[in-house]
Amino acid sequence: MKIRTDFPHSVTVMEHVLIPMSDGVKLAATIWLPEDSASRPVPALLEYLPYRRGDWTAPRDAQRHPWYAGHGYASVRVDIRGCGDSEGVMLDEYHPQEQADGVEVIEWLAAQPWCTGKVGMFGISWGGFNALQIAAEQPEALKAIVTVCSTDDRYADDVHYFGGAMLGIDMTSWAGTMLAFQCRPPAPWRVGDAWETMWKERLEALQPFSEIWMDHQERDDYWRHGSVCEDYSKITAAVLAVGGWADPYRNTVFRLLEHLDAPVQGLIGPWSHQYPDIERTPGPTIGFLQETLRWWDYWLKGIETDVMAEPSLRAYHQDSVRPATHYPERAGTWVGLDGWPSADVGQRRFNLASDLRSLATDAAGMAVVDTPQHNGVDAARWFPFGNLSDLPPDQRAEDGRSVAFETPVLEDDINLFGYARLRLRVNSSTPRANVIARLCDVGPDGSSTLITRGAINLARRNGMDKAEELIPGQFVEAEIEFTSMSWQVPAGHRLRLALATTYWPWIWPHGEQGFVTVDAGQSVLTLDDLDPAAIGKRDVAFEEAEQAPGLDIRPGAVLAARPEREVRYEPQSESWTLTVDPNYGGNRIYPDGLSFGEEALERYSISGNDPLTARAESMWNVSLQREDWGVRIETHATVTASKDHYVLHNEVKTFKDEQLFFEKTFEKRISRTSA
């Protein structure tokens, strides 16, 4: 990593700028500008988030926004309405108000005297989502975006549902995380005496997002809103789509390349849920800021940078590895392909009865899949953040709990690249059932490394917008599309397909325990397969990662040591408990004197092989202290379920100078319509 200080432009910072919305609400922004922008206007770059530019993202913001300003751009970080130091209240993620405000922000930026009238937008995760969403609104000034670790389909590829099955892990934990964010106040040293009134307004408007998300178990109009896949033609700005093989949002890169009419390029590396220049596992990092500068210079300044002469898809083709929960660097080779689908990618098909081997298949080619409720404890994190326990460990235990189908030992390498799809003929003993499929790389020593996985709630077999229960014992057709992959499986290894009916806590179990029967002879696994001649055919290279100098953050009080991820089994009660510390940053002290404390814990339990004992919890304790001002926030979110209902319990307590300021408990029962 190179820390850059010798920029072509000197930089000035506008620390607290209020951008007026048409309804009178003002959004708070920090703007980094080239010092000469008053006389020599520059394009503007916007990052637009709910995560508090004044503290939570401040370390990351300092690495990139000054870097862009030093290279001749106005780089702008805006807090979404009701977040950080912005006025108003936040009603939901990707709310229509958020997108309308974003359009107004872009119009305001384009009209500033220091701006040329051209705007770009970038962001990771939430910021990548709303970059796509706002591009679909077609603000005239928005000419190009960079969207990282994002989705074009809010139902299929976010933290709520997976293959139409409800996520147990992030439906609860992310809603709990956002509840803790919703409860945080603005900073009085920026907004003045209004801070307490603004804080109270936010708290009184609270609704836990889980209550909204779980009320929409099918892909209805709620999820269609903000899903740009509904009409790709609405996006006319140029799109650079970026993903990581260790991140769940990587499918978006392929879909945007396939469906956008606007200029589009794709970039996928080995990375987790991080910008590609951040030094978190897995590496290697790349000079991502320099790469995006080429993009901005071309689209916003009209400078010929040859960025559009690059292969339209640049992807890191990963070598086989032994299983591990983190990799400092993944071995592999950069591959360049022209478009997606690619002429360099063919398909291999495996019939589950004739081409794969399974001890579970009877003489009639039938395999009964009936996995224990705790199957899935080795699934690891939904969106790996670069921590040391985020990735799946050895899958042998999970494979043993599942029904496995294997290839013979491979005589030649297979270069998996793109998608795996599993077409099943299956029946169920119950009206509702899930099927989860994992594809693993099995080494000569028996170690099993997860390549990719997918799932289907069989109620969604005819479409994610439908809820069609099964007739027990009646065969149906269903397809599972796995998360996209890039993996060289070497000769001497085997491919293993593992099928399960449970995957806790990733997938919330249906309310009635049952099994499915797979007709192996009528079920086919199809794998996208990269022509080896394409590897190294196109030159793909990047500069060394560099950033602007970061903030001088000092560590705060040391928290009691605990594992990031711990699985506990109690044989007597047959109970399994997974405890997770998401490790977002802990306690820290900022250069302005803010002492920021943050402790989060997630807990998932199930016992007695009973799906109705599933329980998910998210707990947060946040403290903000500066000079004689201090606040504290405590939240506790719990989800349980009966056969017919989800039961949500959310508690909020906030304190001002250790005196109770606000307290509320939210209780809600939601019918299990199909998940």
Side-chain angles (χ1 to χ4, degrees):
M1 173 66 68
K2 179 181 179 182
I3 302 302
R4 183 78 179 270
T5 57
D6 56 331
F7 298 118
H9 299 263
S10 298
V11 177
T12 184
V13 185
M14 302 164 70
E15 295 281 2
H16 185 62
V17 178
L18 295 178
I19 302 176
M21 300 291 100
S22 57
D23 63 357
V25 167
K26 297 181 178 66
L27 304 189
T30 302
I31 303 176
W32 290 261
L33 287 166
E35 282 191 342
D36 60 354
S37 58
S39 58
R40 302 179 64 184
V42 295
L45 304 177
L46 170 64
E47 188 177 24
Y48 178 53
L49 292 170
Y51 303 136
R52 301 175 62 86
R53 78 199 200 291
D55 46 61
W56 212 69
T57 65
R60 186 180 80 190
D61 296 344
Q63 296 168 337
R64 58 203 61 249
H65 288 280
W67 193 96
Y68 284 135
H71 286 86
Y73 288 85
S75 200
V76 184
R77 172 68 174 83
V78 175
D79 285 335
I80 285 172
R81 179 184 293 243
C83 303
D85 300 317
S86 289
E87 297 173 355
V89 297
M90 184 184 189
L91 300 173
D92 193 6
E93 61 178 8
Y94 318 121
H95 192 274
Q97 184 68 61
E98 175 186 329
Q99 289 148 33
D101 286 350
V103 171
E104 289 198 48
V105 169
I106 288 171
E107 291 171 347
W108 184 90
L109 292 173
Q112 297 310 296
W114 38 258
C115 183
T116 61
K118 292 185 177 181
V119 179
M121 193 169 179
F122 71 92
I124 181 172
S125 196
W126 196 306
F129 281 48
N130 64 27
L132 284 169
Q133 293 161 357
I134 292 170
E137 298 294 324
Q138 299 182 357
E140 184 178 353
L142 185 63
K143 305 301 182 185
I145 69 169
V146 175
T147 179
V148 184
C149 298
S150 68
T151 188
D152 57 339
D153 189 331
R154 292 181 54 218
Y155 183 83
D157 277 335
D158 199 7
V159 296
H160 314 101
Y161 297 92
F162 184 53
M166 196 184 89
L167 287 173
I169 189 164
D170 267 52
M171 178 67 86
T172 301
S173 67
W174 190 246
T177 298
M178 289 312 302
L179 184 62
F181 268 102
Q182 291 169 272
C183 291
R184 302 180 198 194
W189 53 96
R190 284 189 287 270
V191 306
D193 293 339
W195 79 271
E196 191 170 326
T197 301
M198 293 170 65
W199 191 24
K200 190 172 183 180
E201 182 186 16
R202 293 178 187 182
L203 295 170
E204 290 179 342
L206 281 177
Q207 180 185 12
F209 290 169
S210 55
E211 295 185 353
I212 304 171
W213 302 338
M214 292 171 68
D215 229 358
H216 298 272
Q217 292 165 35
E218 292 79 46
R219 192 180 186 279
D220 57 13
D221 286 343
Y222 174 81
W223 300 112
R224 292 184 186 101
H225 165 75
S227 294
V228 301
C229 63
E230 291 295 306
D231 187 353
Y232 288 106
S233 69
K234 288 185 177 180
I235 295 180
T236 56
V239 177
L240 174 58
V242 183
W245 295 123
D247 182 78
Y249 296 111
R250 55 194 187 260
N251 291 354
T252 303
V253 177
F254 289 96
R255 290 197 296 258
L256 292 176
L257 282 168
E258 182 174 1
H259 296 294
L260 282 183
D261 295 325
V264 57
Q265 286 199 319
L267 173 62
I268 311 178
W271 314 299
S272 62
H273 199 70
Q274 295 282 352
Y275 279 120
D277 55 290
I278 301 287
E279 291 186 309
R280 301 292 291 266
T281 67
T285 60
I286 64 168
F288 183 64
L289 289 174
Q290 302 98 297
E291 196 61 26
T292 59
L293 183 64
R294 297 172 67 210
W295 184 257
W296 303 129
D297 281 353
Y298 182 81
W299 290 107
L300 302 183
K301 291 185 176 179
I303 299 172
E304 181 52 65
T305 62
D306 291 332
V307 69
M308 295 307 293
E310 298 284 1
S312 59
L313 176 59
R314 289 170 289 171
Y316 196 71
H317 188 46
Q318 301 179 121
D319 292 350
S320 174
V321 287
R322 285 184 53 81
T325 59
H326 74 283
Y327 303 96
E329 289 206 0
R330 281 296 307 269
T333 305
W334 283 101
V335 173
L337 300 177
D338 291 319
W340 187 263
S342 170
D344 291 313
V345 176
Q347 292 186 331
R348 294 176 183 248
R349 290 180 174 82
F350 299 87
N351 180 276
L352 267 57
S354 58
D355 300 320
L356 303 175
R357 299 182 298 188
S358 176
L359 297 177
T361 305
D362 66 16
M366 302 296 169
V368 175
V369 184
D370 182 6
T371 49
Q373 294 297 325
H374 70 276
N375 184 57
V377 293
D378 289 337
R381 193 166 183 167
W382 171 254
F383 58 91
F385 205 65
N387 295 328
L388 300 183
S389 65
D390 281 359
L391 302 181
D394 197 315
Q395 296 289 287
R396 275 181 278 198
E398 300 280 65
D399 296 348
R401 290 187 279 264
S402 305
V403 170
F405 297 83
E406 289 185 351
T407 65
V409 173
L410 299 177
E411 296 182 0
D412 300 296
D413 296 351
I414 295 179
N415 291 285
L416 302 176
F417 189 95
Y419 289 97
R421 294 176 179 86
L422 178 62
R423 186 71 184 174
L424 291 172
R425 185 172 185 263
V426 61
N427 73 46
S428 172
S429 66
T430 52
R432 297 183 182 183
N434 296 319
V435 178
I436 299 91
R438 292 176 296 109
L439 187 65
C440 297
D441 175 357
V442 180
D445 62 353
S447 62
S448 177
T449 308
L450 183 69
I451 299 173
T452 184
R453 55 195 149 192
I456 184 67
N457 176 354
L458 289 173
R460 309 272 185 268
R461 62 193 181 277
N462 294 319
M464 292 296 158
D465 58 340
K466 298 177 176 64
E468 299 177 84
E469 290 195 338
L470 301 157
I471 299 173
Q474 179 175 303
F475 277 96
V476 297
E477 301 286 329
E479 183 170 297
I480 296 174
E481 182 176 88
F482 295 59
T483 308
S484 57
M485 61 187 172
S486 177
W487 196 284
Q488 185 181 66
V489 187
H493 287 220
R494 289 169 289 150
L495 276 172
R496 176 179 293 158
L497 172 69
L499 301 183
T501 52
T502 57
Y503 206 50
W504 177 256
W506 266 44
I507 289 177
W508 202 284
H510 286 294
E512 185 178 3
Q513 188 170 355
F515 60 87
V516 301
T517 302
V518 175
D519 183 346
Q522 298 298 314
S523 300
V524 176
L525 174 68
T526 303
L527 303 177
D528 284 353
D529 180 25
L530 180 66
D531 184 347
I535 302 172
K537 181 179 178 182
R538 301 287 299 273
D539 183 36
V540 177
F542 301 94
E543 296 181 36
E544 176 189 4
E546 69 177 47
Q547 298 168 350
L551 292 181
D552 182 18
I553 303 289
R554 292 180 289 131
V558 178
L559 298 172
R562 65 186 183 196
E564 287 179 352
R565 189 176 189 87
E566 181 180 54
V567 179
R568 179 180 177 183
Y569 171 50
E570 296 179 15
Q572 184 176 353
S573 61
E574 294 184 81
S575 66
W576 292 78
T577 303
L578 170 64
T579 305
V580 178
D581 179 351
N583 193 12
Y584 285 125
N587 298 337
R588 46 211 186 264
I589 301 172
Y590 288 83
D592 65 359
L594 174 66
S595 179
F596 183 98
E598 182 177 79
E599 187 174 11
L601 191 70
E602 302 165 18
R603 186 179 294 121
Y604 309 93
S605 61
I606 201 160
S607 62
N609 202 33
D610 181 357
L612 299 184
T613 63
R615 178 183 178 91
E617 295 179 85
S618 171
M619 294 152 282
W620 281 77
N621 195 325
V622 178
S623 62
L624 305 171
Q625 182 80 40
R626 188 176 187 260
E627 298 173 346
D628 60 352
W629 175 86
V631 300
R632 189 161 57 83
I633 298 107
E634 296 176 0
T635 65
H636 187 180
T638 304
V639 178
T640 58
S642 67
K643 183 176 181 293
D644 299 316
H645 292 87
Y646 287 108
V647 181
L648 285 64
H649 178 90
N650 288 276
E651 299 175 7
V652 170
K653 289 183 180 179
T654 70
F655 301 84
K656 175 190 172 189
D657 300 325
E658 290 304 321
Q659 298 297 311
L660 185 65
F661 182 79
F662 178 88
E663 181 178 15
K664 189 169 183 179
T665 299
F666 302 82
E667 304 272 6
K668 187 166 185 179
R669 290 169 62 85
I670 297 175
S671 294
R672 301 182 69 166
T673 58
S674 55

